[in-house]
Amino acid sequence: MPMAASGKSAEARGQRPPGEPARVFHGGDLAAARALFPGAPEPWLDLSTGINPHAYPVGAIAPSAFSRLPAAADVAALEQGAAAAYGAARPAAVVSAPGTQALIQLLPRLIPARQVAVLGFSYQEHAACWRAAGATVRVVDHIGDLTAADINVAVIVNPNNPDGRVVPVADLLAVAAQLAARERTLIVDEAFMDVVRPSASLVPHLPDAGAIVLRSFGKAYGLAGLRLGFAVAAPAQSGRLRAMMGPWAVSGPAIAIGARALADDAWLEATRLRLDAAARCLDGVLREAGLELVGGTSLYRLAASREAAGWFQRLGRAGILVRPFPDRPHWLRFGLPGSPDAWARLCHAFGVTPRAPAPVA
Amino acid sequence: MPMAASGKSAEARGQRPPGEPARVFHGGDLAAARALFPGAPEPWLDLSTGINPHAYPVGAIAPSAFSRLPAAADVAALEQGAAAAYGAARPAAVVSAPGTQALIQLLPRLIPARQVAVLGFSYQEHAACWRAAGATVRVVDHIGDLTAADINVAVIVNPNNPDGRVVPVADLLAVAAQLAARERTLIVDEAFMDVVRPSASLVPHLPDAGAIVLRSFGKAYGLAGLRLGFAVAAPAQSGRLRAMMGPWAVSGPAIAIGARALADDAWLEATRLRLDAAARCLDGVLREAGLELVGGTSLYRLAASREAAGWFQRLGRAGILVRPFPDRPHWLRFGLPGSPDAWARLCHAFGVTPRAPAPVA
């Protein structure tokens, strides 16, 4: 895949600062895309991430959100709002963080595990962070392999990124119970749960399930730049995560916008319908172009093709960035176009019938 | 001190989640102030922090700063701007973080030290974070004690919070050299350097000095809610800090506003003059009220009085929150009033001649 080659060559050219471990390849890197396709038309259409293109309206932000240190009472209100939105009930405790990634970085300190199993193929930061902390990580194909005798920590991304696989709650509870019986821990990353299948969340079963659940704010609400995410866990674990981050971990704008958005049930319900329609429309485009649908969620679709590398090139030359997978060369992941123009560009680049989801009233 | 008693009682009442270590007392907690002085007039005048009351203008923020994942190129531009503003030259490397506090939390992981010395009396989060990581912390009165044979890490807040003491660069270099000769590390927290005495910064001497310097954005620029801070160090250390934080550590709004503000030399120079004038005016108020000036910077003034507890109460009843120090019961720290009304309230509460710094043209 070209983007993978580009990522590797940056490291090979010594642009990575010394002492810094290799990074995981992510979507959203338009600078790399521009370097790879210097003649592509601007602006780029970035379909390489799974972020809602219809962002929650930021609206007016009080100047004090920028100027004052975030107040403990405002953080508590945000976390109560998140608990209500996600269905967390006491004694399960919600802790806010500057993005889910910040929590993924901390989990190996929360749980000093030597043997970690990740249900794959999945988001690679989990394996990377545990490995960076010195753990041995097995990426396993079957949920039964998560409870092998030597495993200290098991990780499931649910729904999975990139293929959208959803592990039923009953299966999650069974895995969590097996692990908890041996004082092991299940971590469930529900980054894409909000708009996808809220009933599949493990959060309402905490802390009894003995698991730790991560929730992302930025993906469903289209505000990835705000940096806001949450962990839901037993109070002792949430408290230790909070202590590791220290005071004022989340910014004032994130607290203000997050609290408002998480209380807006009507927006979320309308967004679910809107994204479902867009995902179905995108499936039609991909199928007409001859790609095979592998899976996905309503925030991204995963398609397979023997011509994946060629499509990546052709779309790139048209200024459309999609997500390749160096370890799955036949796969491409597509985020949702967010405007009639974006739909037109994608359909044109694929050479398929122009289409777009019905506009929102 | 009443606020200290309030902080302790919250913990004693069991409001602190289980598993969570005791917190350091900080300024800025208006909820606690309201609980302590229920009859005080609103809005509260918060002089309990050292944050510039004249914030850098936030201005318009591009929607993409909220919606997109922060781009590596934008982070690099922010860090180049910080390097220029702080006088860092290659190979010293600047790494951005969601607030200096986030870096203070990480330093014990960067340098696994058993024996830490902090030049006191100072900002208490340094000692607290090293202790939480299992280190033995000595708070020492003399800079010579920082280089005792058993010390692995020495910490100097410069200018110091709360008394404003500035350790000359030559002395910092001598301490750093002594420590480096034994593969020990000096950490200098320059949180209040920007508007105070830029020539006293150790940054231009990095990485040769072998030290790590922390810089805060939010205090001088009056944007503490944005969460933005920096470490300057040798490339290997900065790279390890960056890897510990992972991708997208700093929010899009912080990147956009920070890059703009750090390039605005004219604003910073005008701000230095404005804050100097305000600090001199505040000194006049405190002296007329009979308090003894202990020190400070142009972002806060430290005063002593046998009647400190009484003044804290009297100001509190007037809706003015200042910073007490449980371990220094005769001290009070005062931030700068930020408006003519704020100056009038402070002067009235102290019963002194009304005054305010000359308005800015």
Side-chain angles (χ1 to χ4, degrees):
Chain A
M1 288 274 90
M3 289 293 282
S6 164
K8 277 178 192 162
S9 68
E11 183 180 334
R13 287 196 303 272
Q15 295 179 353
R16 183 160 56 80
E20 191 162 351
R23 306 275 188 78
V24 175
F25 175 78
H26 293 287
D29 190 349
L30 287 182
R34 287 190 176 100
L36 207 56
F37 302 102
E42 294 279 347
W44 273 79
L45 171 56
D46 183 8
L47 303 182
S48 70
T49 70
I51 298 164
N52 182 353
H54 310 292
Y56 188 83
V58 166
I61 305 170
S64 63
F66 292 98
S67 61
R68 288 186 56 83
L69 279 170
D74 293 339
V75 174
L78 169 70
E79 292 171 352
Q80 282 165 21
Y86 301 151
R90 292 173 190 274
V94 175
V95 57
S96 54
T100 310
Q101 181 66 36
L103 293 163
I104 293 174
Q105 304 277 145
L106 289 179
L107 289 173
R109 287 178 61 205
L110 182 71
I111 311 164
R114 301 304 310 162
Q115 300 287 335
V116 175
V118 178
L119 189 60
F121 177 82
S122 190
Y123 182 62
Q124 302 203 29
E125 282 287 348
H126 287 284
C129 285
W130 286 101
R131 285 195 180 111
T136 301
V137 177
R138 292 206 296 269
V139 178
V140 303
D141 290 329
H142 302 288
I143 192 169
D145 299 332
L146 295 175
T147 48
D150 62 332
I151 293 299
N152 307 121
V153 163
V155 180
I156 301 178
V157 180
N158 201 47
N160 193 42
N161 173 11
D163 66 2
R165 181 249 319 119
V166 175
V167 177
V169 169
D171 294 356
L172 295 176
L173 289 171
V175 170
Q178 286 186 59
L179 290 167
R182 292 182 283 123
E183 297 190 352
R184 312 306 199 214
T185 306
L186 173 65
I187 295 164
V188 182
D189 182 349
E190 298 187 351
F192 292 97
M193 187 64 81
D194 305 57
V195 291
V196 173
R197 205 183 300 191
S199 63
S201 173
L202 192 64
V203 170
H205 302 274
L206 300 179
D208 290 349
I212 299 172
V213 175
L214 306 182
R215 299 290 296 233
S216 167
F217 175 80
K219 294 175 180 70
Y221 290 83
L223 295 171
L226 201 55
R227 311 313 298 137
L228 180 61
F230 301 91
V232 192
Q237 289 170 313
S238 288
R240 286 182 57 213
L241 284 169
R242 190 188 303 283
M244 281 190 246
M245 287 185 283
W248 319 301
V250 175
S251 73
I255 293 169
I257 297 167
R260 189 153 37 86
L262 287 167
D264 193 342
D265 295 338
W267 182 89
L268 188 61
E269 187 50 42
T271 293
R272 283 190 189 115
L273 300 174
R274 184 180 200 177
L275 295 175
D276 282 347
R280 284 194 301 271
C281 186
L282 181 54
D283 286 355
V285 171
L286 298 172
R287 284 205 188 89
E288 186 179 336
L291 284 77
E292 177 196 352
L293 255 295
V294 177
T297 70
S298 60
L299 282 167
Y300 53 83
R301 307 305 288 168
L302 182 66
S305 167
R306 290 179 175 275
E307 311 299 325
W311 280 120
F312 180 86
Q313 291 286 334
R314 181 166 164 184
L315 293 166
R317 286 192 298 268
I320 300 172
L321 182 61
V322 300
R323 177 74 157 88
F325 295 89
D327 295 338
R328 296 286 187 280
H330 296 318
W331 282 6
L332 292 175
R333 195 191 64 188
F334 296 79
L336 301 177
S339 69
D341 177 62
W343 283 101
R345 283 181 71 179
L346 183 66
C347 294
H348 182 77
F350 267 130
V352 302
T353 316
R355 79 194 76 185
V360 176
Chain B
M1 288 274 92
M3 288 294 281
S6 165
K8 279 178 189 161
S9 67
E11 182 181 333
R13 287 195 303 272
Q15 294 179 354
R16 183 160 57 80
E20 190 161 352
R23 307 273 189 79
V24 175
F25 175 78
H26 292 288
D29 189 349
L30 287 183
R34 287 189 177 100
L36 208 56
F37 301 103
E42 294 279 346
W44 273 80
L45 171 57
D46 184 7
L47 303 182
S48 70
T49 71
I51 298 164
N52 182 354
H54 309 291
Y56 188 83
V58 166
I61 305 171
S64 63
F66 292 98
S67 61
R68 287 185 56 83
L69 279 171
D74 293 339
V75 174
L78 169 69
E79 291 171 352
Q80 283 165 22
Y86 301 151
R90 290 172 189 275
V94 175
V95 58
S96 54
T100 309
Q101 182 67 35
L103 294 163
I104 294 174
Q105 303 276 146
L106 289 178
L107 288 174
R109 286 179 61 205
L110 182 71
I111 311 164
R114 301 305 308 165
Q115 299 289 334
V116 175
V118 178
L119 189 60
F121 177 82
S122 191
Y123 182 62
Q124 302 202 30
E125 282 287 347
H126 287 285
C129 285
W130 286 102
R131 285 194 181 112
T136 301
V137 177
R138 291 207 296 269
V139 179
V140 303
D141 290 330
H142 303 288
I143 192 168
D145 298 333
L146 294 175
T147 49
D150 62 334
I151 294 300
N152 306 122
V153 163
V155 180
I156 301 178
V157 179
N158 201 46
N160 193 42
N161 173 10
D163 67 2
R165 179 240 331 114
V166 175
V167 177
V169 169
D171 294 355
L172 295 176
L173 289 171
V175 170
Q178 286 186 59
L179 290 168
R182 292 181 283 124
E183 297 190 352
R184 312 308 200 211
T185 306
L186 173 65
I187 294 164
V188 183
D189 181 349
E190 298 187 350
F192 292 97
M193 186 65 81
D194 306 57
V195 291
V196 173
R197 206 184 298 192
S199 63
S201 172
L202 192 63
V203 170
H205 303 274
L206 301 179
D208 291 349
I212 298 172
V213 175
L214 305 182
R215 300 290 296 232
S216 166
F217 176 80
K219 295 176 179 70
Y221 290 84
L223 294 171
L226 201 55
R227 311 313 298 138
L228 180 61
F230 301 91
V232 193
Q237 289 171 313
S238 288
R240 287 182 56 213
L241 283 169
R242 190 187 304 284
M244 281 190 245
M245 287 185 284
W248 320 301
V250 175
S251 73
I255 293 168
I257 297 168
R260 187 152 38 85
L262 287 167
D264 193 342
D265 296 338
W267 182 89
L268 188 61
E269 187 50 43
T271 293
R272 283 189 188 115
L273 299 174
R274 184 180 200 177
L275 295 176
D276 282 346
R280 283 195 300 272
C281 186
L282 180 54
D283 286 354
V285 171
L286 298 172
R287 283 206 189 90
E288 186 179 336
L291 283 78
E292 178 196 352
L293 255 296
V294 177
T297 70
S298 60
L299 282 167
Y300 53 82
R301 308 305 288 168
L302 182 65
S305 167
R306 290 181 175 274
E307 311 299 325
W311 280 120
F312 180 86
Q313 290 287 335
R314 182 166 164 181
L315 293 166
R317 286 193 297 269
I320 301 173
L321 181 62
V322 299
R323 177 75 155 89
F325 295 88
D327 295 338
R328 295 288 188 280
H330 296 318
W331 281 5
L332 291 174
R333 195 190 65 189
F334 296 79
L336 301 177
S339 68
D341 176 62
W343 283 99
R345 282 181 70 181
L346 183 66
C347 293
H348 182 75
F350 267 130
V352 302
T353 316
R355 80 196 75 187
V360 175

